[in-house]
Amino acid sequence: MNNRYQNLKVQYPFIYTLLRWAIIMIPVAIGIGSIIALFLTLLNAAIQYRFQHPWLLYFLPLAGLLIYLIYRYYGQPAEKGNHLIIEQIQLEGAAVPKRMAPIILLTTVITHLFGGSAGREGTAVQIGGSIASLFGRWLKLTGIDRRMVLTAGVAAGFGAVFGTPFAGAIFAIEFLTSRKIKIDTFLPALFAAVIGDLTVSFWQVAHVHYRIDTVVTAPTFIATYFTFDFLLLFKVMLASIAFGLASFLFARMVLEIKLLFNRLFALKWLIPIFGGLLIIALTVLIGKPDYLSLGVAAEYPGAVTISSAFKQGGADSWSWLWKTIYTAVTLGTGFKGGEVTPLFYIGATLGNTLAILLNAPVSLFAALGFIAVFAGATNTPLACTTMGVELFGPQYIVLFALACFTAYLFSGYTGIYNTRRMPARLFAGTLKSNTYLQRKFTKYLQPFKKTKRL
């Protein structure tokens, strides 16, 4: 039998590689998809339970303290979250702690049960990385094989939690690549993402669907090929600049809140308590709970949600800013979850507001904001363009790409997955030289470079 496999490896190396990675990825992706399905079920149950018991919000400070204690005594070094995944995948023989998956799942559910404004992508990525790392240790994978299985684990987690496997695969590559895209990693990542998404569907866990209404465009000589006119194109460019600046604001605010509270509080366990009190105070001040938790399901009729942002009048003018503040305070003070779903909310509601100001199609601009703010904050414009196609259809792919790459360009030097402080003059490089553009587009302008083997 071993000789047969050796002959297959020598005579048909491509088939051997595909077979090898299929054997590895199927159990990894099924395990990740099953845990993601459990996570989504528990998360939805926690949110619905809080809807029925709104007084749980007043225990958010204690929930923050509990999360702090869990990570203080049981979660180190898993507390670094997505940043740990990025660090470990670059290291030879690196491994992600086994406890990361259960701890992040538990603490994310706690955050949402008591009303913290966070997402679920960070949890999915960490679950995927943790389970993939566990399988890698069992299979004794080393070097590039270990890094590749971690990348596929991230792809499976992301693709499964949002129901977008192609975007999940591309996101994993962009997310984990600092300088250039390695195209050879795509196939295993895509395979894992598809299997993870199918596994979630097998467990009958549904995803929320959004729809762009029909856009009436002015006739042009290229109308046969593209569904947009030049006036609409100009409006999209203006809105995309705003989406990029919103990404910049979000990433900067999360970072600065973390730095500020770490300076203010010598006793670190006081930080989540104070953060919880701030969320309560903001909710009382505003007089409605729209900006708590994910922002996907409506707590009451007429609440501002991601879905409502796709309709005329479905968001307030400053909904995007309130959600930015809520999420920055929640994540900046130690609560767990992710940033992506709040970024969807911020982008969709900002798109709603800009559509009214620019006299543009509301649902289209909500969709563009949905993916573009995410692209700017995570530095993953390719993945977000692909996500737009998977979620909304291919007819607006040109606008999706324009919005995502423009937002990426105007989002600054860094994002939510890079803790470096941003320069004081954001566009100094753009104005004086091409340094800024080079740094933003290095991994896209370089030729795709293949690794030695899959």
Side-chain angles (χ1 to χ4, degrees):
M1 184 67 70
N2 289 335
N3 290 334
R4 183 178 302 175
Y5 283 122
Q6 289 297 326
N7 291 335
L8 179 64
K9 181 178 180 180
V10 173
Q11 297 178 11
Y12 306 99
F14 181 73
I15 296 177
Y16 169 82
T17 301
L18 289 180
L19 180 62
R20 176 174 181 268
W21 278 110
I23 293 173
I24 293 174
M25 290 305 171
I26 288 175
V28 172
I30 290 176
I32 292 171
S34 297
I35 299 299
I36 294 297
L38 173 64
F39 166 62
L40 292 175
T41 301
L42 293 175
L43 187 62
N44 182 66
I47 292 171
Q48 294 299 322
Y49 188 81
R50 185 186 60 78
F51 285 174
Q52 299 167 11
H53 304 86
W55 48 265
L56 285 171
L57 174 63
Y58 297 101
F59 290 89
L60 184 60
L62 294 180
L65 176 61
L66 176 61
I67 291 171
Y68 170 84
L69 293 175
I70 289 173
Y71 274 95
R72 175 69 175 80
Y73 293 103
Y74 301 102
Q76 296 181 350
E79 188 176 9
K80 296 174 69 174
N82 288 349
H83 299 290
L84 178 64
I85 302 290
I86 296 173
E87 290 176 5
Q88 296 302 310
I89 206 167
Q90 305 296 335
L91 302 176
E92 182 76 21
V96 178
K98 292 181 290 185
R99 67 185 67 181
M100 173 176 276
I103 288 179
I104 190 59
L105 191 154
L106 173 63
T107 53
T108 300
V109 171
I110 291 173
T111 295
H112 288 281
L113 176 63
F114 293 94
S117 177
R120 52 195 175 182
E121 154 273 338
T123 305
V125 166
Q126 292 171 54
I127 287 173
S130 179
I131 294 176
S133 179
L134 180 63
F135 273 89
R137 284 195 292 269
W138 288 345
L139 297 174
K140 298 183 177 3
L141 299 179
T142 59
I144 190 174
D145 289 339
R146 180 179 289 277
R147 291 194 294 272
M148 196 167 290
V149 79
L150 281 174
T151 303
V154 170
F158 188 94
V161 81
F162 292 121
T164 54
F166 279 91
I170 298 174
F171 172 83
I173 296 171
E174 286 186 291
F175 167 75
L176 296 166
T177 304
S178 58
R179 293 188 177 179
K180 55 183 176 293
I181 294 175
K182 296 180 179 178
I183 196 65
D184 285 349
T185 310
F186 178 75
L187 190 59
L190 177 60
F191 185 80
V194 170
I195 297 297
D197 182 43
L198 291 175
T199 303
V200 171
S201 300
F202 172 81
W203 291 112
Q204 299 183 346
V205 176
H207 300 285
V208 179
H209 297 283
Y210 308 98
R211 185 175 66 88
I212 298 177
D213 297 330
T214 301
V215 177
V216 179
T217 60
T220 67
F221 70 95
I222 57 172
T224 305
Y225 306 99
F226 300 113
T227 313
F228 64 86
D229 57 32
F230 289 106
L231 179 59
L232 178 61
L233 185 68
F234 177 70
K235 293 177 180 180
V236 169
M237 291 180 66
L238 289 178
S240 300
I241 293 173
F243 295 147
L245 296 176
S247 302
F248 172 85
L249 176 64
F250 179 87
R252 184 64 177 263
M253 190 174 290
V254 172
L255 174 61
E256 294 299 335
I257 286 177
K258 287 181 180 178
L259 295 174
L260 174 63
F261 285 176
N262 274 306
R263 287 197 302 265
L264 290 179
F265 294 95
L267 300 174
K268 302 308 177 186
W269 57 269
L270 287 174
I271 295 177
I273 293 178
F274 186 73
L277 292 174
L278 276 180
I279 295 296
I280 294 171
L282 286 171
T283 306
V284 173
L285 175 65
I286 296 173
K288 58 181 182 180
D290 293 13
Y291 310 116
L292 300 173
S293 195
L294 282 177
V296 174
E299 186 169 349
Y300 62 92
V304 178
T305 64
I306 296 176
S307 296
S308 74
F310 282 74
K311 302 178 179 63
Q312 186 84 24
D316 299 331
S317 298
W318 298 104
S319 292
W320 66 273
L321 181 58
W322 282 119
K323 188 63 174 178
T324 300
I325 295 171
Y326 267 71
T327 308
V329 170
T330 299
L331 299 178
T333 55
F335 290 88
K336 299 302 176 181
E339 300 91 350
V340 172
T341 305
L343 288 169
F344 291 161
Y345 188 109
I346 294 166
T349 53
L350 178 57
N352 183 291
T353 299
L354 293 174
I356 296 172
L357 292 175
L358 298 171
N359 190 28
V362 171
S363 60
L364 174 62
F365 273 57
L368 294 175
F370 184 104
I371 58 175
V373 173
F374 173 29
T378 59
N379 293 322
T380 56
L382 276 179
C384 294
T385 301
T386 306
M387 173 176 279
V389 173
E390 288 189 278
L391 291 177
F392 307 114
Q395 62 269 37
Y396 302 109
I397 185 172
V398 174
L399 298 182
F400 294 157
L402 175 65
C404 289
F405 278 92
T406 301
Y408 170 66
L409 175 62
F410 282 85
S411 63
Y413 281 100
T414 189
I416 59 176
Y417 300 135
N418 189 338
T419 56
R420 290 184 297 106
R421 294 180 65 89
M422 302 178 192
R425 299 183 64 190
L426 172 60
F427 297 112
T430 308
L431 296 174
K432 293 186 177 181
S433 68
N434 61 354
T435 302
Y436 178 76
L437 292 177
Q438 286 179 336
R439 292 182 64 181
K440 290 297 287 187
F441 290 104
T442 295
K443 63 182 177 181
Y444 300 104
L445 296 177
Q446 288 184 356
F448 286 174
K449 182 179 179 180
K450 292 186 178 182
T451 50
K452 292 183 181 180
R453 62 186 180 87
L454 275 175

